[in-house]
Amino acid sequence: MANYEQLAMEVLKGKKKLVIATVNELLAAGEKPLDIINKGLIVGMSEVGVLFSQNKMFIPEVLMSAKAMEEGVNIVKPLLQVGDMQSAGTVLLATVQGDLHDIGKNLVGIMLESNGFTVINAGKDVSPEAIVTLAKEHKPDVIGMSAMLTTTMLMMKDTIELMKEEGIRDQIKVIIGGAPVSTDFSNEITADGFAPDALSAVGLCKRLLA
Ligand code: B1M
C-alpha cells in the first residue's frame, strides 16, 4: 500500500516512474490531491533542499528530483482545479530575471487556480520589462514575483520601480515570495505583501482584492 513517506523518498531519489505510480496509487486509494502535494511531494523536495545545502546532493540529482516532483504535480494538478467558477481575480506570476527556480512559483500558481483565480504563468528568468509588458497586455489584478536567490531578489525592486515609471503600479497589487525574501523586504521595496508559502499566497491575494 503506497504512503506519503514512500512518495517523499521517491522524489528525493528522483525516481520519476515510481513517483507517477505512487501518486496514481494514492489517488486510487482516495487520498486528496492537495495532501499528495503537501504531505508527499513537497516533503521530498524539502529534504532535497537540506541535502543540497549540505553538499550531499548535487545539481544533476536535484534536477532529477525536480523532474520527478513536476511529474507528480502534473497528475494531481487537473484534479485541483475548480470548474466554471467565476474568477476570483487574475494573477500574473513570474520568477524574476536571472532566476531559474520555478517549482515553488508553479505551486503557487496551482494553489491560486484551485482557489478560483485565473493565472498567467510567465515562466522563469523574466525581466522587469517583460513583466511590465505582460501586465499592460493582460491587466492582472495582482503580479506575483518569486525569487530563490539572494542575487535575484533585487529584480523585484527593479520591477516595481519600472511599474511606477510606466504608470501601472497604482492599478496592480504586487506580492512576493521565495526563500530569501520576507515581510521586511516586501515593505522595503514597497510591494503589497509577502507570502511564505503557496497557500498563504492565496490568502494574501484574497485579502488584497477584497
Ligand atoms: Co538552487 N539554490 N541553485 N536549484 N535550489 C537554492 C535556492 C539554494 C537555497 C540551495 C542552497 O545552497 N542551500 C541556493 C540559493 C542560495 C542563495 O542565494 N541564498 C541555490 C543555488 C545557489 C543555486 C545555483 C546558483 C547553484 C549553482 O549553479 N551553483 C543555481 C542557480 C540557477 C539560477 O537560478 N540562475 C541553482 C540551480 C538549481 C536547479 C536548476 C538545479 C534547481 C531548480 C529547478 C527548478 O526550480 N525547476 C534548484 C533547486 C531545486 C534548489 C533547491 C534545492 C530547492 C528549491 C525548491 O524547489 N524547493 C533550493 C534549496 C532550498 O530551497 N532549500 C535551492 C521546493 C519548493 C516547493 O519550495 O521554492 O521555497 P520553494 O517555494 C515555496 C515558498 O518559497 C513559496 O511557496 C512555495 C511553495 O510553498 N514561494 C512563494 C515561492 N515563490 C513564491 C511566490 C509567491 C508566494 C510564495 O508569491 C508570488
Side-chain angles (χ1 to χ4, degrees):
M1 172 69 189
N3 59 54
Y4 291 123
E5 292 75 37
Q6 174 190 342
L7 180 59
M9 187 55 73
E10 288 163 358
V11 170
L12 179 60
K13 292 190 171 167
K15 302 281 187 196
K16 200 169 72 178
K17 285 185 183 156
L18 290 179
V19 166
I20 294 170
T22 303
V23 168
N24 282 323
E25 253 189 77
L26 287 167
L27 285 172
E31 296 295 329
K32 292 197 189 93
L34 200 57
D35 284 344
I36 292 176
I37 292 183
N38 286 330
K39 297 182 185 173
L41 299 170
I42 289 188
V43 173
M45 205 60 212
S46 302
E47 185 59 20
V48 171
V50 173
L51 296 181
F52 187 48
S53 61
Q54 295 170 347
N55 289 325
K56 289 180 182 161
M57 263 182 99
F58 300 96
I59 288 178
E61 299 156 297
V62 173
L63 278 174
M64 283 172 73
S65 293
K67 189 69 196 154
M69 163 129 188
E70 193 187 324
E71 295 285 345
V73 168
N74 284 344
I75 299 171
V76 291
K77 186 179 166 187
L79 306 173
L80 286 169
Q81 294 182 355
V82 269
D84 311 317
M85 205 161 114
Q86 202 191 350
S87 176
T90 300
V91 183
L92 171 62
L93 278 182
T95 300
V96 296
Q97 187 167 23
D99 204 317
L100 303 177
H101 297 86
D102 63 356
I103 296 172
K105 182 259 302 165
N106 290 342
L107 279 175
V108 171
I110 290 168
M111 294 299 168
L112 284 167
E113 280 177 349
S114 67
N115 279 276
F117 286 87
T118 303
V119 173
I120 300 155
N121 193 333
K124 56 195 170 187
D125 190 13
V126 190
S127 68
E129 291 76 15
I131 292 176
V132 167
T133 301
L134 284 168
K136 284 182 180 171
E137 187 184 336
H138 295 281
K139 304 194 173 18
D141 302 294
V142 180
I143 290 180
M145 288 184 280
S146 179
M148 289 296 285
L149 299 171
T150 44
T151 47
T152 57
M153 58 196 261
L154 290 173
M155 281 295 162
M156 294 172 160
K157 182 173 192 287
D158 292 356
T159 306
I160 291 174
E161 293 307 320
L162 188 60
M163 286 175 74
K164 287 178 187 162
E165 278 170 35
E166 295 289 320
I168 59 167
R169 176 67 183 99
D170 297 347
Q171 301 136 40
I172 305 172
K173 303 286 182 193
V174 176
I175 70 163
I176 62 167
V181 303
S182 61
T183 301
D184 282 350
F185 183 68
S186 167
N187 292 337
E188 193 185 313
I189 65 170
T190 67
D192 294 297
F194 157 75
D197 55 53
L199 215 51
S200 317
V202 174
L204 179 58
C205 286
K206 283 184 177 166
R207 282 197 302 282
L208 289 173
L209 299 184

